[in-house]
Amino acid sequence: MPTPATPPSPLADPLPRDEQTEQEYRSLVRALRETRGHFALFPVESDYRPSLRDALFDRLDRDLSVAGMKLRVVKLSRDEWDPKLWVEIDGPDGDGQALAVIGLEVTPGIIPEPGKPRRRPPALALLNNYREALRKRLHGPLLLWCDPFTHVALQEHSPDLFDCYAGLFTFLDTQPRIEPPRWWELARPT
């Protein structure tokens, strides 16, 4: 069974506060509130590192609670990614929940193995085939959090799932990433 994601630490990265990100966030909150009690698919394409994603989820949970909703986060792993389990843990108050699924990028086959024929990743095949059950049994919006590569794979390998598509949201990290020096740069004589 997928495990709930750990809550963000109090030292989580601050969220980007540029106008585009704020507008996208407000649109996401509005869409989730408007689809309360009804299944709606919202892919979220993002390059946020986990600490930023968790900070966004923390803020989203607080903002949804004002409307009497909760955000439930399910973390997938290489071994646990069956969407049937998302429904089983929906619980009696599922009508007041939004479900966010993270970790799709670590499920088997998302990143093709070099030299092997391209195949539909098993998690995406199952997600595509299970869309009707998700639509009937999840009573709230579904956020599928994807990095850009996984979002492309989701579109390519789960086209039937997009029959339930309600909107795409994009959150990109606007802060420059500080990378550690490369070993060959450290070895240069000064």
Side-chain angles (χ1 to χ4, degrees):
M1 175 182 264
T3 56
T6 56
S9 75
L11 302 175
D13 287 337
L15 286 171
R17 293 292 183 160
D18 61 283
E19 185 55 37
Q20 183 177 351
T21 301
E22 280 299 308
Q23 184 176 352
E24 191 77 350
Y25 177 79
R26 286 189 303 269
S27 296
L28 174 62
V29 171
R30 186 173 46 254
L32 294 176
R33 286 179 179 171
E34 288 175 2
T35 57
R36 178 184 180 162
H38 304 284
F39 180 75
L41 173 66
F42 296 106
V44 178
E45 182 180 11
S46 178
D47 65 352
Y48 279 8
R49 56 193 172 273
S51 58
L52 282 176
R53 179 201 61 215
D54 293 346
L56 184 133
F57 283 163
D58 186 46
R59 180 179 174 199
L60 187 57
D61 190 40
R62 285 191 312 270
D63 289 344
L64 289 176
S65 69
V66 172
M69 291 179 72
K70 291 193 288 186
L71 177 66
R72 185 168 56 91
V73 180
V74 173
K75 184 176 184 177
L76 307 182
S77 71
R78 183 149 187 83
D79 299 320
E80 296 176 344
W81 42 265
D82 190 337
K84 292 176 189 171
L85 299 173
W86 311 346
V87 174
E88 290 173 10
I89 58 178
D90 195 29
D93 60 345
D95 288 350
Q97 291 188 83
L99 175 63
V101 176
I102 62 174
L104 199 54
E105 69 278 359
V106 300
T107 62
I110 293 292
I111 298 176
E113 293 183 46
K116 301 269 181 164
R118 282 192 53 91
R119 302 175 120 171
R120 181 186 275 191
L124 297 183
L126 192 57
L127 188 57
N128 193 60
N129 293 332
Y130 202 61
R131 72 180 159 84
E132 285 304 314
L134 288 173
R135 188 187 333 217
K136 289 178 184 173
R137 297 185 62 199
L138 284 180
H139 304 290
L142 171 63
L143 295 166
L144 288 179
W145 191 272
C146 305
D147 63 27
F149 181 82
T150 305
H151 182 256
V152 170
L154 181 66
Q155 290 177 312
E156 181 180 335
H157 297 292
S158 296
D160 294 337
L161 180 66
F162 281 84
D163 289 349
C164 308
Y165 174 81
L168 169 68
F169 293 93
T170 304
F171 293 95
L172 299 176
D173 191 356
T174 57
Q175 300 298 317
R177 294 184 186 209
I178 300 173
E179 295 184 26
R182 296 177 188 98
W183 65 269
W184 59 85
E185 294 174 336
L186 294 174
R188 261 192 242 159
T190 55

